[in-house]
Amino acid sequence: MIAYVSVGLLGLLALSIPVGIVLFLLGFGIDTFFSNFPLTRGLGNMVWSSSNSATLIAIPFFVLLGEILVRSGVATRTYAALDRWVSWLPGGLVHANVATATMFSATSGSSVATAATVATVAMPQAEKLGYDPKLFSGAIAAGGTLGIMIPPSINLIVYGFLTQSSIPQLFLAGLIPGIALAIGFMAITVIICLIRPDLGGTRRTFPFVQMLRALIDLVPILILFGMIVGSIYAGWATPTEAAAVGVAGSFVIALVFGGVSWSMITQSLTGTVKITSMIMLIVIGASFLNFTLASAGLGRELTEFMTGLGLTPLKTILVVVVLYIVLGFFIETLSLMVVTIPIIVPLVVAQGYDVVWFGILMIVLIEMALITPPVGLNLYVVQGARKSGSLNEVMLGALPYCLTMLAMAFLLIAFPSIALFLPNALQ
Amino acid sequence: MELKMIHGLRVINKGVALVVGFGLLLCAGFVLADIIMRQIGTSFGGTEEIAGYAMALATSWGMSYTLLELGHVRIDLLRSRADSFKRALFDVFSMIVMSGVIVTIAIKAWPVLERSINNGSRANTPLETPLVWVQLPWFAGWVWFAVMTTLTTLAALSLLLKRRHSDTENFVGAFAEQETLQ
C-alpha cells in the first residue's frame, strides 16, 4: 500500500492533474484495492465535515488580511521605513528585503504574496543603487518563504488541522525558528558582502530624525502582529478569532494610510476566495485520503515497514529530511506538506518524536522547496517581478539562503527545544 | 463559441466569488462582534458553529471561480516541456479526470443532505440549526462546481477536436501566476 500510494502520487502529479484531485483519486484507489469496506460511501460526509470547520475559516481571514495590506500600499511604506533602519549594514537594502519579508510574513501568512509584494517594491531600487541582481533577488525569494513559518501561518493551521495537533502550540513553536531564520538570512548576507563588497551596493545611513519618522510606518504592522499573536497566546482568542481581529486591524491600517477603495476591496475579496478554494480542495482531498489510509490499516503496515528497515529514530529523521529535499525540487509547499502528512507524520510520531516539533521541521524543509529549482514558486514570482535577467540568477542568489535553511533544519534536529521551548514554557 | 461561453462563466463566477467574499467579511464581523460582546459579559452564542457553516459554503461555492482563474495547483514539470498541442492534451486529460472526481463528489454529497431531510436532523449544538438549511446550499455549491468543471472540460475538448488547441491554454492551462501578482 505504501508503494502504491507513493508511485501513484508521483505518477498522477507528473501528469499535471490538480493536486487536490490526485489525493481524491488515490483515496478511491485505496478503497478499490486495499479496503474490505466501501470507503467511498463516506466521501460526502468527509467533504462536509472537513469543510464545516470553525478552525479552517482562519485561512480565508488571514489571506484577506494579507490581501488588504498588500493591495492598500502598506508594503511600500514598510519597505521604505525598514530601508532607513537597516541600510547601514554590509549588504544594505538586501536586509530591507529580508526584514520586509519577515514583517509581512508575520502578518499575512502567505509566502508567495510576500515575495511578490517585496519584489515589486524593491526591484526598481536594486538597479538604481548598484546591487548584484543575483544576491538581491535571491534574498527576496528566500525572505518570502518566512511567511509560512512565522505565525500566523496558514500552513501551520493546515498541519494542525490534519494532524489534530494544537494550532496555538504550533504558532508558538514557529516563532523562535522563524526569527532565527530571518537573523540567519541577514547574517549570511553580511558575511557574503564582507567577503565580496562589490555585491552589496551602496551602504547608506540616514539621519536619526528620519529613522524615527520612519517608525510611524512600522508601528501599525507591529501592533497588528502583536494583537494577533498576543491574543492567541494570552488565551483571549482562538486563532480564528484572532484572524477576524486581524482583518479589522488591517482594514483600519489601510484606511489610515488612505489605501481603501472599492476596487481594492473587491480585488482583495475575490483574491481571498481564489486562494481559499485552492487550499481547501487540497485539504479536503487530504482529509479523504487520510481517512481511507487509516481505515485500510496504513498504521500497521508502516510500523512493520519501519521495523523491517531497522532504522534508528535519528536515521529515520535524516531519511525524511533527504526525502523532503528531493521532493521539494518538484513539488510546492502546501501540496508537498499535505501529500506527505498522511504517511510521514504517523511514521515520525511512531519513532517517538513530538508532532509539534516535526511540524516546524517540516515547515523549514518545505520553505526550502519554495526556492529550489526546477519547481520553486518564489523563484518564479521574483523573476516575474524583475522583468530582466535570467531565472538562473535568482536561483544562484537563493542558494546561500537555502543552505541557511538546511543548517536550521539540522539545528532543529540537534536541539528540538529551539521549537519546543516556547510552547513548553507557556503551557 | 467556446471562448464566449468560458467568458460568460468567468463573469458569473466572479460575481459568485464576490458574494462569497462579502459573506466571509460578514462572518469576520460577526466573530469580531462576539469577541467584543464577550468582553462586556454577554455573547451571541454559536459563533463557532456559524463560522463552520460559512467555511463549508465558501468552500463549495468558491471552487468554480478558482477553477476558471486557473487557481487549482498543478505540478507543471512534464507539461511545461511539451509543445502547445501536447500541453493541450495534458490539460484536457486533467480536466476530464477532474470533472469525473468532482461529479462523484457532488453525487456522494447528496446522501448527506438526503439523510438530513429525511430525519429532519438538527445540529448537536445550542443553536440546534436544522442541517438542511446549510447542507442544501452546500450541496448546491458542489453541483454548481460539477457543472462548471464539466462545461469547461467540454469547451476545451471541443476546441481540441477543432484543432484550436492553443486557444485552450487560457482557460485550462496550468498557471495564471503572473496575473495574480499584478
Side-chain angles (χ1 to χ4, degrees):
Chain A
M1 185 156 62
I2 299 169
Y4 158 81
V5 175
S6 314
V7 174
L9 182 68
L10 295 178
L12 291 171
L13 287 180
L15 285 173
S16 80
I17 297 171
V19 176
I21 300 299
V22 169
L23 298 171
F24 280 110
L25 287 175
L26 287 173
F28 295 152
I30 298 273
D31 181 29
T32 314
F33 300 118
F34 297 98
S35 168
N36 302 322
F37 319 102
L39 298 173
T40 308
R41 213 179 266 177
L43 177 64
N45 263 323
M46 279 307 304
V47 174
W48 167 250
S49 59
S50 56
S51 60
N52 169 21
S53 159
T55 308
L56 289 181
I57 204 167
I59 295 175
F61 289 175
F62 281 130
V63 174
L64 180 58
L65 187 167
E67 290 269 326
I68 291 174
L69 286 182
V70 167
R71 293 187 195 275
S72 64
V74 177
T76 319
R77 285 163 173 270
T78 310
Y79 187 76
L82 283 168
D83 174 24
R84 302 273 183 281
W85 279 85
V86 294
S87 278
W88 59 273
L89 287 161
L93 263 186
V94 179
H95 298 288
N97 296 351
V98 176
T100 312
T102 308
M103 283 191 74
F104 264 81
S105 62
T107 41
S108 85
S110 157
S111 282
V112 177
T114 307
T117 313
V118 179
T120 319
V121 183
M123 274 308 165
Q125 310 261 3
E127 279 180 39
K128 229 186 295 171
L129 295 165
Y131 282 88
D132 174 57
K134 290 194 278 297
L135 187 67
F136 197 82
S137 47
I140 302 178
T145 67
L146 295 169
I148 57 176
M149 171 71 93
I150 299 178
S153 148
I154 288 167
N155 289 58
L156 282 178
I157 295 176
V158 172
Y159 180 88
F161 179 77
L162 290 177
T163 61
Q164 288 169 0
S165 43
S166 149
I167 293 168
Q169 290 228 346
L170 283 165
F171 276 10
L172 272 175
L175 195 60
I176 294 181
I179 293 173
L181 262 180
I183 295 174
F185 285 174
M186 292 173 83
I188 192 93
T189 310
V190 169
I191 295 171
I192 292 174
C193 292
L194 283 176
I195 301 172
R196 291 276 311 273
D198 56 307
L199 298 182
T202 329
R203 284 162 70 177
R204 288 172 303 160
T205 46
F206 294 89
F208 193 63
V209 185
Q210 272 195 30
M211 288 172 73
L212 276 186
R213 207 172 295 147
L215 272 187
I216 297 172
D217 285 339
L218 292 182
V219 167
I221 299 277
L222 287 173
I223 293 179
L224 187 63
F225 174 71
M227 256 170 29
I228 295 169
V229 177
S231 62
I232 297 175
Y233 295 163
W236 296 336
T238 62
T240 299
E241 290 168 342
V245 172
V247 170
S250 65
F251 218 81
V252 172
I253 294 179
L255 267 179
V256 171
F257 285 165
V260 177
S261 66
W262 175 247
S263 77
M264 168 263 180
I265 293 175
T266 56
Q267 280 175 8
S268 302
L269 289 178
T270 49
T272 303
V273 171
K274 180 179 159 186
I275 296 174
T276 306
S277 303
M278 178 271 278
I279 296 174
M280 283 305 291
L281 186 63
I282 298 176
V283 170
I284 297 173
S287 304
F288 177 63
L289 178 61
N290 255 339
F291 160 74
T292 56
L293 282 173
S295 311
L298 176 80
R300 201 186 51 244
E301 198 174 306
L302 269 181
T303 320
E304 283 167 11
F305 176 70
M306 289 314 292
T307 330
L309 284 181
L311 289 178
T312 60
L314 182 64
K315 279 190 188 146
T316 311
I317 278 290
L318 293 178
V319 170
V320 167
V321 169
V322 173
L323 184 77
Y324 274 102
I325 294 173
V326 173
L327 286 178
F329 287 128
F330 308 105
I331 311 178
E332 220 52 89
T333 43
L334 184 76
S335 317
L336 176 57
M337 188 176 100
V338 169
V339 298
T340 51
I341 281 178
I343 292 186
I344 303 284
V345 172
L347 190 152
V348 170
V349 171
Q351 296 273 353
Y353 286 105
D354 186 286
V355 68
V356 169
W357 168 82
F358 183 68
I360 303 303
L361 179 65
M362 187 193 254
I363 294 283
V364 176
L365 295 169
I366 62 173
E367 277 182 322
M368 275 177 69
L370 271 174
I371 53 171
T372 48
V375 184
L377 202 48
N378 275 14
L379 298 173
Y380 293 98
V381 169
V382 173
Q383 178 62 20
R386 249 155 57 93
K387 300 188 173 89
S388 70
S390 78
L391 187 64
N392 288 344
E393 291 182 345
V394 190
M395 289 176 188
L396 257 178
L399 192 64
Y401 304 101
C402 246
L403 296 176
T404 313
M405 288 178 184
L406 197 59
M408 186 70 217
F410 284 114
L411 276 176
L412 272 171
I413 294 170
F415 307 103
S417 57
I418 299 175
L420 293 178
F421 170 74
L422 272 185
N424 288 340
L426 291 178
Q427 212 164 28
Chain B
M1 189 189 79
E2 292 87 352
L3 294 179
K4 216 178 257 173
M5 177 181 82
I6 292 292
H7 178 74
L9 295 183
R10 276 189 167 152
V11 171
I12 296 170
N13 279 293
K14 187 157 191 190
V16 172
L18 260 182
V19 174
V20 172
F22 275 108
L24 285 169
L25 201 59
L26 195 72
C27 185
F30 187 64
V31 172
L32 203 63
D34 194 56
I35 301 173
I36 296 168
M37 304 244 309
R38 237 173 20 211
Q39 299 304 314
I40 51 173
T42 164
S43 167
F44 289 125
T47 331
E48 282 233 334
E49 186 181 346
I50 289 167
Y53 298 150
M55 189 61 192
L57 294 184
T59 302
S60 72
W61 281 96
M63 291 286 178
S64 305
Y65 176 67
T66 309
L67 171 79
L68 289 160
E69 297 292 318
L70 307 183
H72 290 300
V73 185
R74 298 164 62 189
I75 307 294
D76 198 20
L77 202 61
L78 297 179
R79 179 191 172 280
S80 59
R81 271 142 228 250
D83 60 31
S84 87
F85 175 65
K86 288 198 196 100
R87 272 212 297 276
L89 285 182
F90 266 112
D91 294 340
V92 169
F93 172 72
S94 96
M95 276 310 298
I96 292 173
V97 174
M98 182 161 184
S99 312
V101 170
I102 302 301
V103 168
T104 311
I105 294 177
I107 292 171
K108 297 283 179 184
W110 168 247
V112 178
L113 174 64
E114 191 186 29
R115 210 172 314 125
S116 299
I117 297 176
N118 289 343
N119 303 345
S121 316
R122 283 167 181 272
N124 184 18
T125 57
L127 290 185
E128 294 188 353
T129 316
L131 283 175
V132 180
W133 290 6
V134 278
Q135 284 177 343
L136 181 67
W138 165 79
F139 169 71
W142 281 100
V143 171
W144 176 256
F145 187 29
V147 172
M148 291 301 123
T149 39
T150 310
L151 286 178
T152 310
T153 307
L154 290 177
L157 199 59
S158 155
L159 285 177
L160 189 68
L161 292 176
K162 290 181 188 163
R163 304 217 155 260
R164 287 168 56 195
H165 41 82
S166 52
D167 283 349
T168 62
E169 174 92 31
N170 139 316
F171 64 94
V172 288
F175 286 110
E177 207 49 61
Q178 296 312 322
E179 282 166 53
T180 52
L181 301 178
Q182 313 292 286

